[in-house]
Amino acid sequence: MPGRGRGWGLFLCRRSQWGCGGGSRPCQVLCCNNFKKMSSGAADLRQRKKQNCTESDKMAPEERNKENSKLGRSPKYMLIQRFAKLFFGCLAAVTSGMMYAVYLSTYHERKFWFSSRQELEREITFQGDSAIYYSFYKELLKAPSFERGVYELTHNNKTISLKTINAVQQMTLYPELIASVLYQASGSEEVIEPVYFYIGIVFGLQGIYVTALFVTSWVMSGTWLAGMLTVAWFIINRTDTTRIDYSIPSRENWALPYFACQVAALTGYLKKNLNCSAEKFCYLLVSASTYTFMMMWEYSHYLLFVQAVSLFLLDSFALAQTEKVHEVYKIYLFSLFLGYLLQFENSALLVSPLLSLVAALMLCKCLQMNMKKGTFMSRLLKIMYIYLVLTITVTLNFLLKMFVPHKENEHLLKFIEVKLGLNTTKNFTMNWLLCQESLQAPSQDFFLRLTQSSLLPFYILVLIICLFSVTQVIFRRICGEPLKETVKLEDGRIGERPEIVYHVIHTILLGCLAMCLEGMKYLWTPYVCMLAAFGVCSPELWMTLFKWLRLKAVHPILLALILSMAVPTIIGFSLWKEFFPRIMTELSELQEFYDPDTVELMTWIKQQAPVAAVFAGSPQLMGVIKLCTGWMVSSLPLYNDDDLLKRNENIYQIYSKRSAEDIYKILTSYKANFLIIEDSICNEVGPVRGCRVKDLLDIANGHVVCEEGDSYAYSKYGRFCHEIKMNYSPYVNYFTRVYWNRSYFVYRINTVISFQS
């Protein structure tokens, strides 16, 4: 190859002699010298292309060695120091996750007395949709083989009357599939009970969740002290960071740990000057965790859409490497494609805003690459980039919804319309959802709890500093100043770090959602803990602040290093003194959860009801009946299917002012054999009038009369749940009471109607 290059050089030099008029000596020298410069430049370019990641990997140690030689430190000493820091940091992260999982397990045992209860009493602790998820886990373990169990779930006609459903697709049962495989493959049948194995996996995932937050804060700040503070704030604010106390099998408890891992890997991937092997590892972890997260939760693509918007804004302001951002977009596309195939061609993924946004971004990138730089159209595209992306996204999403048949999540769009005041409705389901606490605006108690733990004040401080720094960087970019390759501590430019900017945008977007819906606080608060801990432990953040203040009395770098150690230490000691005794009291205090009426009801059903019986009642109770007895029910507490929502509304009519004949027709249309009236719903005295089930039914049925600002319920029929207890005609003609206790009244629905008085 070198010989060939030299031969071409001689040939071109001779050609240059001919072009110079026969070979004058100055012209020959000039042409040959020009060629040598060009050939050496081309060789340098080829050499740079060949080096790629290897060059950056080699240069970093050389630079570090130079710095170390200046400081009088040997490379061996620095290597040992880095290894020790990495080892103890990883040990602290893993230990934090394990301790949190043990803490959850101990607290759960103290709250429910699991070890001293019978199986039926344990299962009653799973309420609502949690009971449904765990019931399918039980069915998988009872199946003769895993393949047979999966088939029965995908062609399930033993859960809801007159309805065959694909439970795996409709209820996202992939966590239960994985848990059942692990339980059987690991040979745990003789070692541990299924319920302990199931909740143990969930608690283990919560430990991974905390470890991922620890690592994210550590990667951003450079010290694992930030990770320790993140974990402390997370546990202290547990009521606002996780729903694990109320609903163990809920989908977000399975999914959010994977999202936290994805965020941790993405944080490392966005860092500047990352060596090639670390970058590949982060990329693979982002890919795996994104796909797993999408498979675990049906609403995962909405959260990934928020993340994609954050990356889009990061890229639009040229604050990150465009190639890296677009690699993440490709991961989204690949995950959506795989999810669509493995989730039984889930049409919700095709019409998701995530797919539309990523497709629009990829299209705009192609337009930019195919246009010549410096032309009028390329400059116009640069100016109108954000507007163009948003326009294509909305248009594409509209077209997909027109041509792709889908029914899922339509109720979600209707809910958003009503929530934003764009529409009004008397629909029972919509109003019932609006009355749920998780879908209300956050209360003052939420902000008070975050302030008492000192989390909110420090988060606001860190957010303000980062926002001002990012604004400065954007202004410099508009003025044409390039970003620095490496940001040093003395520069005081924390806003030039792309991973920091991403987290700032991400927490702001999640915070806006949390301000609208209290249930979104479980997505926002963990990253508030992480960002606040990173900020107070980061010397760069303090240095950025001191650059603005222009300190002269004290050396700013020294003061930044001192504060980055002193402030988190003081916070940690104050949190330990105030909250550690409370946590220990929680673990030592024996609580009692006992519901004898529900236990008696389930026992009666298992002993007295026919195997082929179908029960009707509130969806929450039906979920418990399905889990504890295995009997078929007429409705379930699921809100992602229009048919199930309509069923729930119809069966809730047992608490409305409707005639016995109307209720009888509704129940028999679903082939129900037994009706269960709950006294807690029938005689409900809610804190907010108008949000009780019976109030919402009266509004939906038009049984409310407004006079002089007051609302009154009016109907020629009494409230069914009250009237049926009186045991008079026509109620006794349609229904026969067969069991009752303090909380529940069970009626058999008569197949032969007798109108004898």
XYZ file of all heavy atoms in Angstrom, residues 549-612:
521
model
N -21.607 34.608 41.615
C -21.444 35.502 42.762
C -20.099 36.212 42.768
O -19.926 37.196 43.495
C -21.611 34.703 44.066
C -22.962 34.021 44.273
C -22.964 33.209 45.563
C -24.094 35.040 44.294
N -19.121 35.676 41.988
C -17.782 36.264 41.873
C -17.107 36.401 43.240
O -16.721 37.491 43.664
C -17.837 37.620 41.171
C -18.353 37.522 39.742
C -18.369 38.855 39.053
N -18.856 38.730 37.689
C -19.007 39.758 36.856
N -18.686 40.998 37.249
N -19.459 39.564 35.626
N -16.977 35.278 43.911
C -16.334 35.271 45.227
C -14.850 35.593 45.092
O -14.172 35.099 44.206
C -16.508 33.900 45.882
C -17.918 33.542 46.365
C -17.900 32.154 46.965
C -18.420 34.539 47.388
N -14.356 36.408 46.008
C -12.938 36.763 46.003
C -12.276 36.492 47.355
O -11.072 36.264 47.431
C -12.761 38.242 45.635
C -13.205 38.571 44.211
C -12.980 40.039 43.888
C -13.407 40.351 42.446
N -13.229 41.792 42.133
N -13.082 36.530 48.417
C -12.509 36.347 49.755
C -11.987 34.927 49.943
O -10.934 34.715 50.547
C -13.555 36.672 50.825
N -12.724 33.934 49.431
C -12.346 32.532 49.567
C -12.151 31.947 48.173
O -12.872 32.300 47.237
C -13.433 31.739 50.330
C -12.994 30.295 50.549
C -13.736 32.407 51.663
N -11.207 31.028 48.044
C -10.992 30.386 46.751
C -12.238 29.580 46.386
O -12.646 28.678 47.135
C -9.769 29.472 46.817
C -9.250 29.111 45.463
N -9.876 28.207 44.630
C -8.165 29.568 44.779
C -9.201 28.099 43.504
N -8.151 28.917 43.563
N -12.895 29.873 45.249
C -14.180 29.225 44.936
C -14.089 27.713 44.768
O -15.007 26.990 45.161
C -14.612 29.910 43.633
C -13.367 30.514 43.070
C -12.501 30.843 44.227
N -12.978 27.204 44.197
C -12.859 25.756 43.997
C -12.788 25.038 45.338
O -13.460 24.018 45.565
C -11.624 25.432 43.138
C -11.778 26.020 41.733
C -11.410 23.925 43.060
C -10.598 25.763 40.821
N -11.997 25.590 46.243
C -11.875 24.987 47.570
C -13.207 25.010 48.305
O -13.621 24.016 48.925
C -10.805 25.734 48.373
C -10.566 25.248 49.806
C -10.080 23.802 49.803
C -9.583 26.162 50.526
N -13.902 26.154 48.222
C -15.197 26.267 48.892
C -16.225 25.318 48.286
O -17.041 24.714 49.006
C -15.701 27.718 48.798
C -16.982 28.038 49.576
C -16.818 27.745 51.051
C -17.382 29.498 49.352
N -16.198 25.151 46.955
C -17.134 24.231 46.287
C -16.893 22.796 46.739
O -17.840 22.044 47.002
C -16.984 24.343 44.769
N -15.619 22.401 46.849
C -15.300 21.046 47.297
C -15.737 20.822 48.744
O -16.248 19.753 49.101
C -13.803 20.789 47.158
C -13.274 20.690 45.717
C -11.753 20.666 45.704
C -13.825 19.442 45.035
N -15.541 21.839 49.591
C -15.942 21.713 50.998
C -17.455 21.595 51.124
O -17.976 20.724 51.845
C -15.414 22.916 51.807
C -13.882 22.870 51.880
C -16.014 22.936 53.211
C -13.267 24.111 52.506
N -18.194 22.465 50.417
C -19.658 22.443 50.508
C -20.247 21.159 49.940
O -21.263 20.660 50.439
C -20.245 23.654 49.773
C -20.086 25.007 50.465
C -20.695 26.112 49.620
C -20.737 24.993 51.848
N -19.628 20.624 48.869
C -20.160 19.393 48.276
C -20.023 18.203 49.224
O -20.697 17.181 49.018
C -19.429 19.087 46.961
O -18.053 18.815 47.198
N -19.184 18.319 50.236
C -19.072 17.278 51.261
C -19.835 17.644 52.521
O -20.492 16.794 53.145
C -17.595 17.044 51.608
C -16.773 16.461 50.478
S -17.253 14.769 50.082
C -16.693 13.931 51.549
N -19.776 18.924 52.901
C -20.361 19.347 54.176
C -21.888 19.384 54.128
O -22.554 18.906 55.059
C -19.820 20.721 54.558
N -22.456 19.942 53.045
C -23.919 20.095 52.970
C -24.630 18.743 52.991
O -25.559 18.538 53.792
C -24.306 20.922 51.718
C -25.823 20.918 51.533
C -23.803 22.345 51.849
N -24.249 17.760 52.134
C -24.936 16.458 52.223
C -24.714 15.748 53.559
O -25.597 15.026 54.033
C -24.334 15.655 51.069
C -23.085 16.342 50.700
C -23.289 17.778 51.025
N -23.541 15.976 54.185
C -23.297 15.353 55.488
C -24.242 15.922 56.541
O -24.827 15.177 57.348
C -21.836 15.580 55.916
O -20.965 15.070 54.910
C -21.551 14.881 57.231
N -24.425 17.230 56.520
C -25.351 17.869 57.475
C -26.783 17.413 57.220
O -27.535 17.102 58.154
C -25.227 19.408 57.371
C -23.845 19.860 57.836
C -26.314 20.088 58.187
C -23.541 21.314 57.553
N -27.161 17.355 55.927
C -28.514 16.880 55.589
C -28.705 15.446 56.066
O -29.740 15.094 56.653
C -28.749 16.974 54.070
C -28.741 18.427 53.601
C -30.088 16.319 53.692
C -28.768 18.584 52.096
N -27.689 14.608 55.827
C -27.790 13.209 56.223
C -27.960 13.042 57.721
O -28.805 12.261 58.179
N -27.184 13.799 58.515
C -27.299 13.695 59.966
C -28.658 14.194 60.463
O -29.254 13.612 61.381
C -26.170 14.471 60.642
C -24.906 13.681 60.775
C -23.742 14.082 60.130
C -24.866 12.518 61.539
C -22.570 13.347 60.238
C -23.695 11.776 61.653
C -22.542 12.188 61.000
N -29.163 15.270 59.875
C -30.470 15.784 60.292
C -31.588 14.805 59.943
O -32.522 14.607 60.736
C -30.728 17.147 59.637
O -30.801 17.027 58.223
N -31.498 14.176 58.755
C -32.500 13.173 58.376
C -32.419 11.960 59.298
O -33.446 11.390 59.695
C -32.290 12.745 56.922
C -32.542 13.796 55.839
C -32.223 13.219 54.464
C -33.971 14.305 55.876
N -31.204 11.550 59.623
C -31.012 10.398 60.519
C -31.638 10.682 61.889
O -32.339 9.840 62.456
C -29.521 10.127 60.662
C -29.186 9.000 61.604
C -29.083 9.061 62.955
C -28.912 7.648 61.238
N -28.760 7.840 63.467
C -28.649 6.947 62.441
C -28.849 6.959 60.036
C -28.337 5.595 62.464
C -28.529 5.610 60.060
C -28.287 4.940 61.249
N -31.386 11.877 62.409
C -31.884 12.213 63.744
C -33.404 12.298 63.784
O -34.035 11.868 64.759
C -31.275 13.552 64.169
C -31.677 13.982 65.576
C -31.022 15.307 65.942
C -31.451 15.756 67.343
N -30.840 17.062 67.704
N -34.011 12.828 62.716
C -35.455 13.050 62.744
C -36.256 11.849 62.277
O -37.312 11.535 62.859
C -35.801 14.267 61.872
C -37.277 14.629 61.908
C -37.590 15.890 61.131
O -36.632 16.543 60.636
O -38.788 16.223 61.005
N -35.790 11.155 61.219
C -36.635 10.142 60.582
C -36.243 8.703 60.903
O -37.074 7.807 60.759
C -36.629 10.339 59.055
C -37.303 11.599 58.615
C -36.557 12.739 58.318
C -38.679 11.665 58.507
C -37.171 13.900 57.911
C -39.311 12.830 58.099
C -38.555 13.952 57.811
N -35.002 8.454 61.295
C -34.610 7.075 61.579
C -35.426 6.463 62.725
O -35.858 5.302 62.618
C -33.111 7.009 61.890
C -32.618 5.615 62.136
C -32.475 4.716 61.092
C -32.311 5.181 63.427
C -32.027 3.421 61.307
C -31.865 3.893 63.656
C -31.722 3.015 62.596
N -35.669 7.198 63.821
C -36.526 6.615 64.870
C -37.935 6.271 64.379
O -38.517 5.269 64.810
C -36.560 7.713 65.944
C -35.319 8.508 65.720
C -35.106 8.490 64.245
N -38.472 7.088 63.465
C -39.814 6.801 62.929
C -39.810 5.512 62.115
O -40.741 4.703 62.206
C -40.287 7.969 62.046
C -40.403 9.299 62.758
C -40.975 10.343 61.815
N -40.878 11.691 62.359
C -41.294 12.783 61.733
N -41.834 12.678 60.506
N -41.167 13.971 62.293
N -38.770 5.330 61.308
C -38.686 4.120 60.486
C -38.557 2.882 61.366
O -39.198 1.855 61.127
C -37.505 4.235 59.498
C -37.775 5.340 58.477
C -37.260 2.908 58.797
C -36.611 5.633 57.560
N -37.748 2.970 62.389
C -37.585 1.839 63.295
C -38.874 1.548 64.052
O -39.192 0.382 64.336
C -36.441 2.112 64.273
C -35.080 2.241 63.608
S -34.672 0.859 62.501
C -34.610 -0.493 63.661
N -39.621 2.595 64.386
C -40.918 2.392 65.046
C -41.881 1.674 64.118
O -42.648 0.795 64.551
C -41.506 3.752 65.476
O -40.574 4.419 66.331
C -42.823 3.567 66.214
N -41.865 2.030 62.829
C -42.718 1.350 61.846
C -42.418 -0.142 61.798
O -43.324 -0.971 61.725
C -42.490 1.952 60.446
C -43.270 3.211 60.164
C -43.069 3.677 58.731
O -42.224 3.075 58.024
O -43.737 4.628 58.319
N -41.135 -0.470 61.838
C -40.742 -1.869 61.722
C -41.003 -2.656 63.001
O -41.218 -3.872 62.950
C -39.254 -1.962 61.356
C -38.856 -1.397 59.992
C -37.367 -1.544 59.772
C -39.625 -2.085 58.868
N -40.969 -1.990 64.128
C -41.169 -2.695 65.400
C -42.634 -2.748 65.819
O -43.012 -3.571 66.648
C -40.345 -2.016 66.502
O -40.743 -0.669 66.665
N -43.462 -1.880 65.228
C -44.870 -1.810 65.620
C -45.680 -2.867 64.873
O -45.679 -2.920 63.644
C -45.416 -0.412 65.299
C -46.808 -0.174 65.832
C -47.286 1.248 65.515
O -46.892 1.761 64.438
O -48.014 1.830 66.315
N -46.377 -3.704 65.612
C -47.215 -4.741 65.002
C -48.569 -4.150 64.639
O -49.306 -3.669 65.502
C -47.400 -5.913 65.971
C -46.181 -6.814 66.184
C -46.469 -7.811 67.281
C -45.827 -7.539 64.898
N -48.894 -4.170 63.348
C -50.200 -3.712 62.889
C -51.091 -4.922 62.640
O -50.633 -6.059 62.629
C -50.047 -2.892 61.606
C -49.100 -1.706 61.758
C -48.966 -0.918 60.476
O -49.934 -0.686 59.771
N -47.751 -0.485 60.180
N -52.357 -4.660 62.435
C -53.273 -5.776 62.216
C -54.206 -5.455 61.064
O -54.877 -4.418 61.062
C -54.088 -6.072 63.476
C -54.984 -7.293 63.315
C -55.700 -7.654 64.609
O -55.560 -6.913 65.589
O -56.405 -8.677 64.608
N -54.215 -6.331 60.093
C -55.161 -6.237 58.975
C -56.002 -7.508 59.008
O -55.520 -8.595 58.700
C -54.414 -6.117 57.640
C -55.328 -6.085 56.448
C -55.869 -4.895 56.009
C -55.658 -7.249 55.772
C -56.713 -4.870 54.913
C -56.498 -7.232 54.682
C -57.030 -6.038 54.246
N -57.232 -7.351 59.419
C -58.102 -8.525 59.509
C -59.495 -8.121 59.066
O -60.038 -7.118 59.531
C -58.127 -9.081 60.932
C -58.866 -10.397 61.041
C -58.518 -11.470 60.228
C -59.912 -10.560 61.940
C -59.177 -12.681 60.321
C -60.593 -11.766 62.039
C -60.215 -12.825 61.224
O -60.880 -14.024 61.296
N -60.046 -8.883 58.154
C -61.371 -8.599 57.596
C -62.219 -9.864 57.718
O -62.349 -10.626 56.760
C -61.209 -8.161 56.139
C -62.501 -7.630 55.549
O -63.531 -7.669 56.241
O -62.481 -7.186 54.386
N -62.804 -10.107 58.900
C -63.533 -11.375 59.106
C -64.754 -11.522 58.214
O -65.091 -12.640 57.809
C -63.922 -11.315 60.592
C -63.885 -9.858 60.946
C -62.830 -9.262 60.099
N -65.411 -10.406 57.886
C -66.617 -10.494 57.046
C -66.275 -11.003 55.655
O -67.003 -11.834 55.085
C -67.296 -9.127 56.960
C -67.872 -8.682 58.304
O -68.114 -9.558 59.154
O -68.065 -7.473 58.490
N -65.175 -10.509 55.091
C -64.762 -10.972 53.765
C -64.316 -12.428 53.815
O -64.608 -13.208 52.898
C -63.635 -10.081 53.217
O -64.051 -8.716 53.230
C -63.281 -10.470 51.798
N -63.618 -12.806 54.885
C -63.199 -14.202 55.042
C -64.423 -15.118 55.103
O -64.465 -16.184 54.457
C -62.328 -14.364 56.304
C -62.055 -15.844 56.577
C -61.021 -13.607 56.150
N -65.437 -14.721 55.867
C -66.662 -15.529 55.976
C -67.372 -15.635 54.628
O -67.886 -16.702 54.263
C -67.599 -14.911 57.013
C -67.091 -15.009 58.446
C -67.963 -14.240 59.423
O -69.037 -13.746 58.993
O -67.581 -14.117 60.596
N -67.414 -14.523 53.874
C -68.067 -14.543 52.565
C -67.356 -15.505 51.624
O -68.007 -16.312 50.942
C -68.078 -13.130 51.975
C -68.608 -12.997 50.540
C -70.075 -13.403 50.458
C -68.406 -11.580 50.009
N -66.033 -15.435 51.569
C -65.276 -16.316 50.675
C -65.436 -17.782 51.087
O -65.557 -18.669 50.229
C -63.792 -15.929 50.672
C -63.516 -14.512 50.207
S -64.180 -14.180 48.555
C -64.473 -12.421 48.665
N -65.461 -18.023 52.384
C -65.647 -19.392 52.866
C -67.014 -19.926 52.475
O -67.145 -21.090 52.040
C -65.480 -19.431 54.394
O -64.196 -18.889 54.740
C -65.570 -20.854 54.918
N -68.033 -19.093 52.585
C -69.392 -19.511 52.202
C -69.470 -19.823 50.707
O -70.078 -20.817 50.305
C -70.405 -18.423 52.563
C -71.809 -18.803 52.198
C -72.699 -19.515 52.944
C -72.470 -18.518 50.959
N -73.872 -19.695 52.262
C -73.766 -19.094 51.040
C -72.112 -17.837 49.797
C -74.687 -18.999 49.997
C -73.024 -17.752 48.762
C -74.286 -18.325 48.863
N -68.855 -18.985 49.885
C -68.889 -19.203 48.431
C -68.229 -20.531 48.085
O -68.754 -21.324 47.292
C -68.196 -18.028 47.703
C -69.023 -16.746 47.846
C -68.008 -18.354 46.220
C -68.337 -15.512 47.295
N -67.072 -20.793 48.681
C -66.347 -22.032 48.372
C -67.098 -23.275 48.839
O -66.997 -24.346 48.226
C -64.955 -21.988 49.012
C -64.054 -20.909 48.415
C -62.750 -20.776 49.171
C -61.792 -21.885 48.825
N -60.449 -21.656 49.397
N -67.897 -23.136 49.903
C -68.584 -24.299 50.461
C -70.002 -24.477 49.935
O -70.481 -25.613 49.801
C -68.622 -24.192 51.993
C -67.251 -24.289 52.640
C -67.303 -24.101 54.142
O -68.372 -23.772 54.701
N -66.178 -24.294 54.812
N -70.697 -23.372 49.638
C -72.124 -23.455 49.335
C -72.487 -23.153 47.880
O -73.492 -23.664 47.384
C -72.899 -22.467 50.243
C -72.707 -22.698 51.733
C -73.293 -24.022 52.188
O -74.276 -24.512 51.624
N -72.693 -24.631 53.210
N -71.720 -22.327 47.213
C -72.105 -21.914 45.858
C -71.759 -23.000 44.850
O -70.737 -23.680 44.982
C -71.394 -20.615 45.481
N -72.604 -23.180 43.821
C -72.294 -24.149 42.758
C -71.019 -23.741 42.006
O -70.687 -22.558 41.893
C -73.518 -24.080 41.845
C -74.597 -23.479 42.674
C -73.927 -22.562 43.646
N -70.339 -24.744 41.486
C -69.077 -24.483 40.794
C -69.283 -23.613 39.562
O -68.428 -22.789 39.223
C -68.403 -25.818 40.403
C -67.125 -25.575 39.615
C -68.120 -26.654 41.643
N -70.426 -23.773 38.892
C -70.693 -23.019 37.664
C -71.356 -21.675 37.922
O -71.790 -21.005 36.982
C -71.566 -23.851 36.731
